[in-house]
């Protein structure tokens, strides 16, 4: 696991064993997560999405606490996965980082509670799985316009296909003005509580 430029985000670059039969790699190890995060990753829900080329999902996030941490991997095809720092007060607020996830290099990304998440499918039938720390709760789920010029995410030159909900999502500035965004302090406090609980169960 390697830390990305945004605090609370990592990329996993697995060692892949290949031979004439195919390949094998480990894409999740609990002890590696505990070592880097300071607590065990709780799994409350696992999701799978299949997307046509150009499908753009996000930017999605959940209220903190409890938020929703995600561990994301592309099983088939390829996507451009984007992590956005939407935590008010964060040193990297408004910044984003992109990682290509595909079925060749088998990278995966982990984003902590409070970070925004989006991806664009680069191929047809791009199949993405997410391990989530909390289950889906509509009242706590929010979105930001992934095409917001203020964010300036550099999406591939593909006509984006958005859901009606994502297309109607507010800009980063609008979400901040309405009080939708989590605070960096609240996110840090939540993670400190998880680490303390792991140290003194």
């Amino acid at each position: 696991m390697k830390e990305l430029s945004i605090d609370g985000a990592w990329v996993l670059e697995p060692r892949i064993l290949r031979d004439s039969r195919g390949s094998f790699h480990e894409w999740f190890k609990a002890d590696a997560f505990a070592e880097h995060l300071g607590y065990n990753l709780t799994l409350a829900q696992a999701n799978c999405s299949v997307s046509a080329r150009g499908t753009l999902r996000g930017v999605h996030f959940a209220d903190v606490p409890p938020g929703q941490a995600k561990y994301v991997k592309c099983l088939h095809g390829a996507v451009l996965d984007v992590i956005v720092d939407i935590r008010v007060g964060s040193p990297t607020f408004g910044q984003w980082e992109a990682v290509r996830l595909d079925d060749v290099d088998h990278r995966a990304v982990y984003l902590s509670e409070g970070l925004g998440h989006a991806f664009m499918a680069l191929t047809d039938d791009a199949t993405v799985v997410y391990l989530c720390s909390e289950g889906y709760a509509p009242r706590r789920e929010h979105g930001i316009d992934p095409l917001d010029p203020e964010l300036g995410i550099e999406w591939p030159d593909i006509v984006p296909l958005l859901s009606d909900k994502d297309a109607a999502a507010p800009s980063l500035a609008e979400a901040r003005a309405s009080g939708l965004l989590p605070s960096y302090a609240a996110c840090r406090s939540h993670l400190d509580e998880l680490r303390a609980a792991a140290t003194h169960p």
Side-chain angles (χ1 to χ4, degrees), residues 20-44:
S20 60
R21 301 166 298 165
S23 68
F24 173 87
H25 69 280
E26 298 173 340
W27 77 280
F28 172 75
K29 293 189 74 172
D31 57 350
F33 269 80
E35 178 184 346
H36 286 83
L37 304 182
Y39 56 88
N40 291 319
L41 176 63
T42 299
L43 177 58

Side-chain angles (χ1 to χ4, degrees), residues 2 20 40 53 58 79 92 108 116 119 122 132 139-140 144 149 153 155 160 168:
K2 297 180 180 179
S20 60
N40 291 319
R53 184 174 185 269
V79 302
T92 54
F119 71 80
L122 305 178
C132 304
R139 292 184 180 180
R140 294 190 287 103
I144 295 170
I153 298 173
W155 297 110

